[in-house]
Amino acid sequence: MIIKTIKAIPSHEITDEQVFIQRRTLIKSLLAATLVGNSRTLFAQNKAAAWPSIAQSELSTSTLSPTPAKLVKEYTNYYEFSYNKEESTSLAQALDVDPWSIEISGEVENPSKFHLEDILSKQTLEERIYRFRCVEAWSMVVPWVGFPLVNVLNMAKPLSSARFVKFTTAQKPDVMPNLRNESILQWPYTEGLRIDEATHPLTLLAVGMYGERLPKQNGAPLRLIVPWKYGFKSAKAIVKIELLKTAPLTSWNKSAPNEYGFYANVNPSVPHPRWSQNSERLLGSGFFSPRRQTELFNGYGQQVARLYSDMDLRHFF
Ligand code: MTE
């Protein structure tokens, strides 16, 4: 994956003028947001003090070609709206994402509700091109725009008792018709990470993709991206982040614990009980293209395998 600050995207990497124009517009609008308020922040100091960092060279390992944006925007899983991909894409347009605030609570010194613009005003936005692997055995490559989750956790000053992080997402019954249906999932949609996963430099809070603000159907205004885990971990439209002493129950784990584990690290040798996870259909690669061989940790093993060195990967999900 490639990591760059949004200011550093060279124009020669942008193939299409329209995309270039959109990206410039995004840079302007997102940077306008980041300039609100006082940009001299405690992040840089806290980040270095509180969590281990990773060399920038370790974050830039390969060049990936993004999946066509249209596919990523239209092939979405957003179950609060519908279990049907096309329907969830169109219904999600009714979600009002401005203004937005995020509560951070639990094992922290400074539990607070933050306005999204206050969070953004303290961030340097980066573009990160990550592989994204769904547990349904399809994959894509997405240029996300965002910032490390650890930056936001540090705003609330985590206590050393914080071992896990729980994410709770928006629940708006007036615009999310599928909230009435609890036959598969119970609402709100929740997810969780271990604290070392949450503070890993690859773990991102995305506010944009393809040089634009995040589309509503892809999780606007703010979603989690954990590139070495199956896509269901990447909670959309986050409203609450809790730091906890014990592992939280997550939506899919609660719904079908034998099929969806808490860790959900991409692992070709651990099949889903109903299908193999050995290979994947890369969206946009053409109907007759060969399937892509799925990689352990979705190809990010060099960066994250050390987090799991004492666990038996054969039975690990
Ligand atoms: N977040 C919320 N709030 N609701 C959801 O239904 N679906 C998850 C995840 N985040 C989901 C969610 C699943 S199953 C996947 S694969 C990814 O979002 C899909 O992200 P995409 O639609 O942007 O491709």
Side-chain angles (χ1 to χ4, degrees), residues 76-80 134 140 169 189 218 223 231-232 234 236:
T76 63
N77 282 339
Y78 208 161
Y79 301 125
E80 290 87 331
C134 179
M140 52 197 191
T169 71
Y189 191 99
N218 295 101
R223 77 175 294 177
F232 68 85
S234 299
K236 297 177 174 181

Side-chain angles (χ1 to χ4, degrees), residues 288-305:
F288 296 106
S289 299
R291 289 171 71 85
R292 183 178 185 276
Q293 176 63 47
T294 293
E295 294 175 68
L296 180 61
F297 298 119
N298 205 20
Y300 300 102
Q302 194 197 337
Q303 292 89 355
V304 302

